Amino acid sequence: MERRDALKLTATILGGSIIGSQFFLSGCVAPPKKRPWMVTDDDVPFLDEIGETILPDTDESPGAKAAHIGTFMKTIVNDCYSEDETLLFIDGLDKVEEKSMDGFGESFLSLSKEKKLNLLTQFDEEAKKHRSLEEPHFFTMLKELTLWGYFTSEVGATEALRYNPVPGRFEGCIPYNGENAWIS
């Protein structure tokens, strides 16, 4: 073997180990892509406000913000919804903000309680007319997540519902007197 061939072979081996080392060290796995269609931490205050408008704070029970409804919605949408459902949900959030800017000239977060309620009532009426089994309306999704998250949270279960960890025996013939529902 000539000196020139030996140098070429050595350069190839060493150069390949330096240049390709990152490929071999990573285990041939590409880093996971970040999903572009996710609800982010920046959306949580927006979702909290929507939830609080749907289930406001009253004298009898705290509102949806107390149950951290925005964080619940973020988790469910990102972890459980399909890509199409998530895109529909996020597009709906954008629609709420656009309609707020068009109708009131302000962001949804800076609107008064009455204006927020007025705006969400319009989306609720739109959702009632929509009623499609193939593709749900984003506002229906928002309402369902708000109710589900609130009444399964500690705040909703213990302060909005009549919580009894050990309800006792079943008595089926007790008249209903308008009190809160049970949860156990």
Side-chain angles (χ1 to χ4, degrees), residues 16-168:
S17 65
I18 293 171
I19 294 170
S21 65
Q22 197 169 19
F23 176 74
F24 291 113
L25 291 175
S26 70
C28 303
V29 176
K33 291 185 195 175
K34 189 166 186 168
R35 297 188 322 186
W37 41 271
M38 294 180 76
V39 177
T40 64
D41 289 334
D42 296 335
D43 297 323
V44 170
F46 186 66
L47 292 170
D48 278 337
E49 283 300 320
I50 291 174
E52 187 72 17
T53 305
I54 294 171
L55 284 174
D57 188 27
T58 64
D59 293 337
E60 290 85 31
S61 63
K65 270 189 193 177
H68 306 286
I69 203 67
T71 305
F72 173 81
M73 284 193 229
K74 175 187 168 232
T75 301
I76 295 298
V77 171
N78 288 344
D79 294 349
C80 301
Y81 279 16
S82 69
E83 184 175 351
D84 292 338
E85 291 169 331
T86 304
L87 288 173
L88 179 70
F89 186 84
I90 291 172
D91 287 344
L93 297 180
D94 293 340
K95 286 180 188 176
V96 170
E97 188 62 27
E98 287 171 14
K99 200 161 186 178
S100 174
M101 292 301 289
D102 291 345
F104 302 108
E106 311 181 66
S107 171
F108 182 81
L109 293 174
S110 60
L111 292 177
S112 67
K113 288 183 180 183
E114 294 78 24
K115 288 180 181 177
K116 287 178 187 175
L117 182 60
N118 181 14
L119 182 64
L120 293 184
T121 302
Q122 292 173 22
F123 283 114
D124 191 32
E125 290 169 3
E126 181 182 308
K128 288 176 184 174
K129 291 177 188 173
H130 180 73
R131 302 222 183 213
S132 171
L133 295 177
E134 294 88 37
E135 184 177 279
H137 193 273
F138 80 91
F139 193 73
T140 303
M141 297 165 82
L142 267 168
K143 280 183 18 180
E144 288 172 351
L145 285 174
T146 300
L147 294 172
W148 176 25
Y150 182 74
F151 288 110
T152 57
S153 71
E154 181 179 356
V155 170
T158 58
E159 296 185 40
L161 297 173
R162 190 170 54 166
Y163 179 71
N164 187 356
V166 183

